[in-house]
Amino acid sequence: MDPLIAEWQERIRSAAAAGERLVLRGSGSKTFYGGMVSGTPLEVAAYRGIIAYEPTELVVTARAGTTLRDLAAVLAEKGQWLPCEPPHFGPSATVGGMLACGLSGPGRATAGAVRDFVLGVKLLTGNGEVLSFGGQVMKNVAGYDVPRLIAGSLGTLGLVLEVSMKVLPRPVAEKSIRLAVGEREALTWLNRWGGQPLPISASVWHQGVLTVRLSGAAAAVAAAQEKLAGEALDESEAAAFWWALREQTHDFFSGEAPLWRLSLPSVAGPQDLGTTLIEWGGAQRWLRGGDPATLRAAASAVGGHATLFRGDPALKAAIGVFQPLSAPLLRIHRRLKTAFDPHGVLNHGRLYPDF
Amino acid sequence: MSFDASASDWRYSVDRAALIQRLSAVLPAESLLVDEEDLRPYESDGLTAYRCLPSLVVLPADESQVRAVLRICHQFRAPVVPRGAATGLSGGATPHPDGVVVSLARLKKILRIDPLARTAVVQPGVRNLAVSEAAAPYGLYYAPDPSSQIACTIGGNVAENSGGVHCLKYGLTVHNVLRVRGLTSDGEEVEFGGGGLDAPGYDLLAVVIGSEGLLALITEITVRLTPKPLLAQVAIASFADVRRAGEAVAGIIAAGIVPAGLEMMDRKAIHAVEPYVNAGYDLDAEAILLCEADGTPDEVAEEIARVRTVLENSGASEVRVSVSEAERLRFWAGRKAAFPAVGRMTPDYLCMDGTIPRKRLADMLEAIEILSTKYGLRCANVFHAGDGNLHPLIMYDANRPGELDRAAAFGAEILELSVRFGGTITGEHGVGLEKVDLMAAQFGCGEIAAFHRLKAAFDEPGLFNPGKGVPTLARCREYILARAGTTSSILANR
Ligand SMILES: Cc1cc2nc3c(=O)[nH]c(=O)nc-3n(C[C@H](O)[C@H](O)[C@H](O)COP(=O)(O)OP(=O)(O)OC[C@H]3O[C@@H](n4cnc5c(N)ncnc54)[C@H](O)[C@@H]3O)c2cc1C
């Protein structure tokens, strides 16, 4: 066993025995995200490096401390990437943090989320066991899908050691276009276009401007560009624009007001809850500030949910970061937590306050 | 083969007469089957080598009847076996001798199609193809297309996380389902996923998909619909040896192409299919590849040209491209009919389902050839080559003493080899009863124990599909002990 893993195993076991809580920390790029944790920090970014990468298998396996930047560079050499475009939110963001937070970028609505690209995971559980689930192949239904369960579990079920992901070739052609349009109409257009065979790979509406990214074969992108008839962005401007959205360096995200993320059916109409930025063809809507109860009620009324994506500790403590779960789901959550972390050692409170 | 292997670990004592009495209070008489002659048709699923008469079969008509049944079974601590169309190939729907089979066949309404949102809300007994048919007027379809799509149900697809010939590009069931409503074994309502692209908390939707009816009984599903591409064309390439065909698969991916479908068939499979469907396959080839491109007409033309180049450079002796939609469907019809076509050549067959890294395709085919001689049984091969998912079809005659056991041992060696090649014992058909012991070839006791704890988080009394999916820890240890130092010669050489 790798000495680092052995060390962490010992650390977790002794914490479990002493009733101590640990807070897992990769590079710290996403520390802002999730509920209030308490416990002794355990730095886990040192276990890094790519273990296996075979471009013709479309699979990469990396240690969890590998930076997303290094991973992207290695994939780019072979013309491949992670189409879910996980945000970095910091220069040294890690693969483990990507999986634990489960956040995806602009491409999510069409390409899929982080969870859609995870094939396998090696975990150090709260019991100090090293367990491997899933694998390195595209199709694998042996055993429950623990790798996807870990995506977005915020380190509450185990310390992620290694991750296998499906990767894809980068699209050959890409073009972004801009159209002036109101919110309601933009939502209608996006949903209509979603039902047509158009190579739309990302979209954002904000303050009367709809920006759409087209990706794929050159012929398909050109045809779609003609059909949607917007003003084309030049290549470097487009790249900077989508990066700013992915990394939340776009102006909309600056300032101290709480940042809310509403995950809604794409067809839900304008919510009239304040200034908004709409991504994912209508399925992800960002808001600054607003009354938490109103936001949560509005989201659940249409079958979605609201997350306090960025906010100060007092607000998080008062209203919780994630939409409350139904009683049966909460019961399953608690039992799952116990199944992987029976002593409650790992990241207590990061997902829901009582586990 | 019967249930006895695993079932001895999983016996339940249920007061059958009292159970019948309680169930008949909540179900009309025709929805409760108790007589042997009525139960007989339910004794197996698509894996007909495994048979077991259930204690009872119920055919609820709606979710409230399902809930009532589950509550009663919960009180009686009676095992529950959910059943869709029973096309499953791993014994997932094989009855339990002390249990109640809950058939979802009557829950077959398509509740809603929302063309703007591109979703369909369906009951679990709806057939896979029926969803695409209902969505067709809107230019939409449901992408995962198992070859059994005429018959298999969405509930079964969700339970197995089924794939199809187009899942390399369009994903598996897990990538195409947004929400699942279900009932836990105590009859409580649960909803996984939701109206958006994600849900708060753990991704339980991903866990329930592919859980083989061990965690929850699925009563309603929201699937995502995909716009139909403007055009699809398939290239069909012949190869004089399988290694070249395997290399062509890697070559296509290496060229940065993600085809809509990439399938391979070996000589035996081609010869089984051709007389049966007249698909127009090359009978002189050792292997053929089917490679589909879809998109706008220009896009398809561009991709087909690139595919053709790769195929020719990999040594294809012939490449043909479908010139019409009718021809494209005919080329696929052969592939989709492969199982029944092989079924005509033999009294019985077992369908294996390992997945391996693509680069090992040719090694695996050679190994299967050697094993075929070793066991004295024929084997035809069809592959979802793009995903490295293999379906060796082992032919045997159950009426000949010992043949089934030989076929099962042959299959087990293929699956163990799949694991050694860095793959898995099952890509899409599930573990079920068939591969429950082989789970120990892929996982250690630690993982197996974690699976049991996960199961208990959903189904504490362990009433859903007991004995399937995950072996008991005792059996896991037994397997590991029995295998220690006994690697077969074929495995040792690779
Ligand atoms: C000729 C043929 C070709 C096939 N091709 C493919 C293929 O290309 N790809 C592929 O993936 N599979 C394929 N299969 C396998 C099979 O069709 C799939 O596994 C299918 O999803 C099973 O659906 P079903 O409705 O028949 O389910 P069943 O066989 O009835 O059940 C399968 C499992 O699901 C559980 N289940 C069923 N309904 C529910 C429910 N409502 N709630 C909870 N659990 C439930 C059962 O308990 C069982 O464990 C093929 C099978 C055949 C016979």
Side-chain angles (χ1 to χ4, degrees):
Chain A
M1 186 185 293
D2 186 282
L4 267 179
I5 298 180
E7 185 189 319
W8 293 337
Q9 185 174 45
E10 191 39 48
R11 185 71 191 86
I12 287 175
R13 284 193 176 143
S14 65
E20 185 189 359
R21 285 176 182 162
L22 298 175
V23 177
L24 307 177
R25 192 176 175 282
S27 81
S29 65
K30 299 176 186 71
T31 307
F32 70 86
Y33 183 66
M36 302 310 298
V37 277
S38 57
T40 318
L42 178 62
E43 302 286 340
V44 298
Y47 188 63
R48 60 170 71 105
I50 287 170
I51 297 169
Y53 173 40
E54 282 186 69
T56 59
E57 298 296 333
L58 300 177
V59 176
V60 65
T61 301
R63 295 190 184 90
T66 312
T67 65
L68 287 180
R69 185 188 282 189
D70 287 349
L71 176 64
V74 168
L75 298 179
E77 270 173 39
K78 302 292 179 187
Q80 298 185 342
W81 71 324
L82 274 176
C84 52
E85 301 180 275
H88 295 211
F89 294 150
S92 320
T94 65
V95 167
M98 168 197 74
L99 185 67
C101 294
L103 301 173
S104 308
R108 192 272 174 256
T110 35
V114 167
R115 61 92 96 161
D116 294 311
F117 288 86
V118 197
L119 300 175
V121 65
K122 185 157 140 184
L123 274 186
L124 183 53
T125 66
N127 227 359
E129 282 181 292
V130 177
L131 302 179
S132 293
F133 298 99
Q136 285 80 45
V137 286
M138 297 285 151
K139 280 166 91 178
N140 184 355
V141 293
Y144 302 111
D145 200 341
V146 176
R148 287 188 222 281
L149 171 67
I150 298 304
S153 65
L154 287 171
T156 57
L157 299 177
L159 192 176
V160 177
L161 296 172
E162 292 166 17
V163 186
S164 295
M165 305 274 297
K166 174 179 171 177
V167 297
L168 285 176
R170 283 203 76 106
V172 181
E174 201 154 274
K175 200 84 211 171
S176 294
I177 55 166
R178 211 161 251 175
L179 304 113
V181 58
E183 181 177 357
R184 182 174 296 278
E185 209 174 350
L187 286 167
T188 307
W189 286 3
L190 287 168
N191 280 291
R192 282 211 191 118
W193 292 340
Q196 296 167 24
L198 291 165
I200 294 175
S201 66
S203 66
V204 60
W205 180 90
H206 181 52
Q207 292 183 330
V209 180
L210 175 64
T211 313
V212 174
R213 187 177 68 187
L214 304 163
S215 318
V221 169
Q225 191 186 346
E226 195 162 309
K227 179 166 180 184
L228 304 187
E231 170 210 344
L233 274 67
D234 76 49
E235 210 173 304
S236 60
E237 184 192 355
F241 176 77
W242 294 111
W243 185 259
L245 272 177
R246 171 173 171 176
E247 297 303 326
Q248 299 191 343
T249 52
H250 184 283
D251 278 349
F252 174 84
F253 297 98
S254 66
E256 294 305 310
L259 175 65
W260 284 89
R261 171 183 181 269
L262 270 57
S263 169
L264 307 182
S266 62
V267 286
Q271 297 297 301
D272 299 323
L273 296 164
T275 308
T276 184
L277 184 145
I278 302 178
E279 287 190 278
W280 300 2
Q284 174 166 266
R285 307 190 191 186
W286 300 97
L287 288 158
R288 302 307 304 266
D291 172 49
T294 308
L295 293 171
R296 290 233 154 102
S300 64
V302 293
H305 62 101
T307 303
L308 176 56
F309 200 84
R310 292 179 196 259
D312 63 46
L315 184 59
K316 285 185 177 182
I319 53 148
V321 168
F322 299 101
Q323 189 111 2
L325 299 169
S326 69
L329 286 191
L330 184 59
R331 192 158 52 244
I332 295 173
H333 273 67
R334 286 211 185 95
R335 290 195 192 136
L336 280 173
K337 169 71 174 176
T338 310
F340 286 88
D341 181 17
H343 311 288
V345 175
L346 304 172
N347 280 6
H348 181 96
R350 184 98 194 245
L351 190 61
Y352 285 97
D354 59 341
F355 62 88
Chain B
M1 223 171 273
S2 73
F3 204 140
D4 50 281
S6 259
S8 52
D9 304 326
W10 297 98
R11 290 312 297 241
Y12 290 68
S13 65
V14 180
D15 180 346
R16 186 171 186 263
L19 180 59
I20 292 174
Q21 198 186 7
R22 286 293 307 282
L23 287 171
S24 56
V26 299
L27 293 170
E30 75 275 11
S31 301
L32 175 61
L33 310 182
V34 298
D35 296 334
E36 185 180 332
E37 58 179 346
D38 295 330
L39 299 175
R40 192 58 71 191
Y42 292 87
E43 68 180 351
S44 82
D45 63 7
L47 180 69
T48 51
Y50 290 65
R51 288 171 197 276
C52 175
L53 213 56
S55 178
L56 301 170
V57 173
V58 297
L59 297 134
D62 57 34
E63 190 179 297
S64 69
Q65 287 186 358
V66 178
R67 187 182 310 115
V69 166
L70 290 186
R71 292 217 169 118
I72 293 167
C73 288
H74 188 255
Q75 277 168 17
F76 279 79
R77 290 288 185 268
V80 169
V81 175
R83 178 181 172 110
T87 65
L89 293 170
S90 57
T94 309
H96 187 288
D98 310 316
V100 177
V101 168
V102 178
S103 165
L104 284 313
R106 289 189 180 162
L107 275 77
K108 56 177 183 199
K109 283 199 208 87
I110 296 180
L111 299 170
R112 260 189 314 284
I113 291 200
D114 183 339
L116 192 60
R118 291 145 278 138
T119 56
V121 181
V122 304
Q123 291 188 325
V126 170
R127 291 173 307 111
N128 173 296
L129 192 61
V131 180
S132 288
E133 284 167 355
Y138 310 103
L140 301 168
Y141 74 112
Y142 176 59
D145 58 340
S147 303
S148 51
Q149 70 184 146
I150 301 175
C152 67
T153 67
I154 298 290
N157 292 174
V158 170
E160 301 287 12
N161 189 15
S162 299
V165 298
H166 291 96
C167 57
L168 179 60
K169 184 164 174 181
Y170 294 101
L172 308 161
T173 302
V174 70
H175 302 109
N176 290 280
V177 167
L178 295 167
R179 186 190 67 109
V180 162
R181 198 164 77 184
L183 298 165
T184 53
S185 58
D186 53 3
E188 191 161 39
E189 219 173 90
V190 276
E191 189 164 295
F192 309 110
L197 292 175
D198 43 47
Y202 296 140
D203 195 339
L204 302 185
L205 179 64
V207 178
V208 164
I209 296 174
S211 65
E212 302 191 17
L214 273 95
L215 302 183
L217 195 145
I218 299 153
T219 54
E220 193 178 293
I221 302 120
T222 305
V223 300
R224 181 209 281 270
L225 302 173
T226 304
K228 272 211 197 101
L230 292 176
L231 178 70
Q233 263 185 316
V234 61
I236 179 162
S238 310
F239 289 86
D241 85 82
V242 290
R243 191 161 283 279
R244 288 247 167 101
E247 283 161 8
V249 170
I252 288 170
I253 306 289
I257 302 167
V258 180
L262 185 53
E263 298 283 313
M264 182 166 160
M265 296 169 72
D266 76 353
R267 188 181 183 84
K268 283 211 187 63
I270 300 166
H271 282 254
V273 159
E274 194 48 32
Y276 181 50
V277 271
N278 297 313
Y281 295 164
D282 178 356
L283 288 168
D284 294 327
E286 282 301 314
I288 57 167
L289 278 185
L290 289 137
C291 183
E292 181 152 290
D294 66 9
T296 64
D298 288 347
E299 189 179 5
V300 172
E302 185 184 311
E303 188 170 308
I304 287 282
R306 292 169 68 205
V307 164
R308 182 189 281 276
T309 308
V310 176
L311 292 170
E312 284 169 358
N313 290 344
S314 311
S317 54
E318 186 188 25
V319 180
R320 282 180 296 157
V321 177
S322 62
V323 293
S324 64
E325 182 62 9
E327 188 174 49
R328 183 183 80 89
L329 293 176
R330 189 155 56 85
F331 284 165
W332 279 119
R335 166 60 189 88
K336 290 203 173 181
F339 296 1
V342 167
R344 293 194 329 152
M345 294 170 54
T346 171
D348 304 282
Y349 70 90
L350 279 181
C351 172
M352 294 295 117
D353 176 44
T355 304
I356 56 172
R358 293 180 198 87
K359 64 178 175 198
R360 306 305 297 264
L361 282 176
D363 294 338
M364 179 55 100
L365 276 171
E366 281 168 16
I368 289 173
E369 192 66 48
I370 298 169
L371 288 170
S372 174
T373 312
K374 170 176 162 185
Y375 287 100
L377 296 173
R378 291 175 301 161
C379 180
N381 290 289
V382 291
F383 294 165
H384 301 299
D387 324 281
N389 186 198
L390 324 164
H391 292 319
L393 301 164
I394 301 170
M395 297 174 245
Y396 70 97
D397 182 349
N399 288 326
R400 291 210 197 135
E403 271 209 9
L404 171 57
D405 290 338
R406 255 178 23 241
F410 183 174
E413 278 210 56
I414 295 174
L415 299 186
E416 284 166 338
L417 196 54
S418 300
V419 175
R420 282 175 70 99
F421 281 172
T424 173
I425 56 171
T426 174
E428 59 179 15
H429 294 168
V431 174
L433 262 189
E434 180 199 30
K435 293 181 277 282
V436 68
D437 286 340
L438 278 168
M439 282 286 280
Q442 193 168 332
F443 296 101
C445 293
E447 285 84 4
I448 299 288
F451 288 146
H452 284 299
R453 295 194 301 268
L454 188 154
K455 153 102 171 159
F458 287 79
D459 173 22
E460 206 177 10
L463 298 180
F464 281 141
N465 263 337
K468 297 172 188 169
V470 186
T472 61
L473 278 174
R475 295 188 72 82
C476 176
R477 286 191 204 101
E478 258 168 51
Y479 179 93
I480 291 169
L481 276 179
R483 287 293 149 140
T486 63
T487 315
S488 83
S489 56
I490 173 137
L491 295 175
N493 293 337
R494 269 154 219 279

